[in-house]
């Protein structure tokens, strides 16, 4: 395993004026801005629309490289990506999902259980590729920059990588579904993940020809989009004055 | 506080064929794809390059609305955004940063401490706007869909919102810096955040005219980009066969 080793070990390393590497920020054109917002607004959590078509290696590599260019605390880049294509492995994960969903169903309020059961919640077998995204919590050593006060920032960095992956997938025509109804112990066992590696996300990936215009859980009336205004405060929690 | 209330409470709610809301997926053009990858690759963690210029409300709103369109487990949308412009409030956060960085510095190995001290790690006062991103862990009630097995997925969803915010900011010419060297108790006190609300990120935001071509911590030789190939496995942890 690689680790984020410094290329030199003292303050002298930055003596050659790092600010010379500052460059003017080039604007994004109107069309470029529209493309990025389009990706953000058209991204969907896909469960059932995966096509039975392989994802070419170069497409998958672009998607994973986008993930790898997420921000990470102290530039620790704590993520790994396990690309799961093997059918037996995906079948084992699917069986683990079935057990986990049965457990979650029991905890649903009576008036939501039938609705819950009607939802399609994963595409583990339908999607030709699954991707398990993990976080190596010790990659930067015992004293990672920026993790003394907030040790879980490495997990949050890894979630940022998932979001980059998701947006890159969208523009490549690849749908992504995040399956969170899985027991960590099952995934760890099936994918041989060591105890010191955290499991952050289990994703299904495949080309799609159709998708929902709104979030599927909104279409299926499980929940609805909240008004942005309700989520904004000014200067301190609860203060609604002058929100944008 | 709003909550993600279902618009109806039974399986009958989805009886009117939700799949009629499926639409053909439109391709992204070569130019659109390039714009999204450009945003992903040019995004930087900014500490020192913020300009002293207000962010117009409509720009800030577009950035926050992009964040609000992140994926969230069970569509729970657990995030809130506290937009901090007040100078005294930012000064209090800055003082909390100074205390936290002194504590982290003591934990650095001797051979990295001088280098650590040379790094610029925040732009709390220089940036005209700070944004505290929080996560309401009970927004979807006691039994959120998809959180029985992995309860922290709400925090990961909120990190996805941060990444959307960051990319939208980049295309608007606004730099973002994530300050993780802050004690949660200090932020909670200064921003009046209730005990049941988790604090996910404290961000500095402001227009920038210059930025680093590579991550600043790489330019300043704190860490370097890992090769993507080292981070990929096939089918199970540790298996390097056939990686893309």
């Amino acid at each position: 395993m690689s680790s984020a080793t410094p290329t030199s070990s003292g303050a002298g390393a930055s003596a050659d004026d790092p600010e010379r590497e500052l460059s003017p920020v080039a604007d994004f054109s109107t069309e470029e801005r529209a493309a990025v917002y389009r990706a953000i607004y058209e991204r969907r959590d896909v469960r059932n629309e995966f096509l039975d078509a392989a994802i070419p290696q170069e497409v998958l590599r672009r998607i994973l490289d986008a993930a790898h260019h997420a921000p990470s605390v102290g530039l620790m880049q704590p993520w790994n990506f396990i690309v799961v294509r093997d059918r037996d492995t995906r079948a084992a994960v699917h069986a683990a999902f079935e057990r986990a969903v049965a457990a979650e169903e029991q905890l649903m309020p009576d008036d939501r259980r039938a609705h819950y059961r009607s939802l399609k919640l994963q595409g583990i077998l339908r999607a030709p590729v699954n991707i398990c995204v993990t976080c190596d919590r010790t990659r930067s050593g015992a004293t990672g920059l920026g993790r003394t006060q907030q040790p879980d920032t490495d997990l949050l960095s890894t979630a940022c990588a998932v979001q980059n992956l998701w947006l890159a997938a969208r523009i490549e025509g690849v749908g992504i579904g995040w399956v969170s109804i899985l027991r960590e112990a099952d995934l760890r066992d099936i994918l041989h993940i060591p105890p010191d590696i955290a499991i952050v996300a289990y994703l299904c990936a495949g080309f799609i020809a159709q998708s929902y215009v709104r979030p599927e859980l909104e279409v299926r009336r499980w929940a609805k989009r909240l008004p942005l205004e309700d989520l904004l405060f000014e200067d301190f929690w609860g203060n609604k004055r002058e929100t944008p």
Side-chain angles (χ1 to χ4, degrees), chain A:
Chain A
M1 186 53 48
S2 298
S3 65
T5 314
T7 53
S8 97
S9 58
S14 53
D16 52 338
D17 194 7
E19 293 186 10
R20 282 195 305 189
E21 289 208 33
L22 280 170
S23 292
V25 169
D27 286 345
F28 277 64
S29 69
T30 304
E31 293 74 20
E32 286 177 307
R33 285 204 305 273
V36 175
Y37 281 123
R38 190 188 152 202
I40 286 171
Y41 285 104
E42 293 188 6
R43 181 208 53 75
R44 286 288 164 273
D45 196 325
V46 175
R47 292 102 184 268
N48 207 36
E49 287 73 43
F50 297 109
L51 303 177
D52 185 21
I55 303 176
Q57 289 289 69
E58 65 271 21
V59 173
L60 191 57
R61 200 188 185 290
R62 285 199 294 272
I63 293 171
L64 293 172
D65 199 51
H68 183 42
H69 282 74
S72 63
V73 59
L75 198 57
M76 78 182 276
Q77 309 158 78
W79 40 70
N80 285 85
F81 307 94
I82 308 173
V83 177
V84 181
R85 291 191 187 81
D86 180 69
R87 179 99 196 162
D88 290 345
T89 305
R90 288 187 288 127
V93 174
H94 185 262
F97 167 83
E98 292 287 359
R99 293 193 298 273
V101 83
E104 181 161 283
E105 189 179 307
Q106 294 310 312
L107 297 172
M108 284 288 150
D110 287 346
D111 62 340
R112 299 205 89 179
R113 194 169 299 131
H115 192 178
Y116 177 82
R117 204 178 289 138
S118 75
L119 300 172
K120 169 83 176 175
L121 296 171
Q122 53 76 35
I124 296 164
L125 291 174
R126 189 182 287 259
V129 172
N130 294 182
I131 304 170
C132 185
V133 185
T134 61
C135 176
D136 179 350
R137 311 211 60 188
T138 63
R139 184 156 295 165
S140 61
T143 53
L145 190 162
R147 285 185 61 217
T148 307
Q149 309 300 340
Q150 298 181 26
D152 288 349
T153 42
D154 55 347
L155 300 173
L156 302 175
S157 299
T158 306
C160 289
V162 171
Q163 183 62 6
N164 266 9
L165 183 159
W166 213 323
L167 294 169
R170 176 62 194 88
I171 64 174
E172 299 284 358
V174 171
I176 297 288
W178 183 329
V179 186
S180 65
I181 309 176
L182 284 168
R183 286 189 185 90
E184 182 173 298
D186 286 335
L187 279 179
R188 195 173 292 286
D189 183 48
I190 296 165
L191 302 177
H192 309 183
I193 298 171
D196 54 323
I197 302 295
I199 299 170
V200 170
Y202 193 86
L203 308 174
C204 303
F207 285 107
I208 53 173
Q210 289 189 300
S211 75
Y212 288 97
V213 177
R214 301 183 292 155
E216 185 169 345
L217 287 178
E218 187 175 6
V219 172
R220 295 179 186 274
R221 300 185 190 177
W222 181 264
K224 57 185 174 182
R225 175 86 59 196
L226 304 174
L228 175 60
E229 285 64 27
D230 290 358
L231 306 174
L232 304 180
F233 298 126
E234 185 85 2
D235 286 330
F236 55 88
W237 181 274
N239 184 30
K240 301 296 291 180
R241 176 178 52 85
E242 295 184 275
T243 48

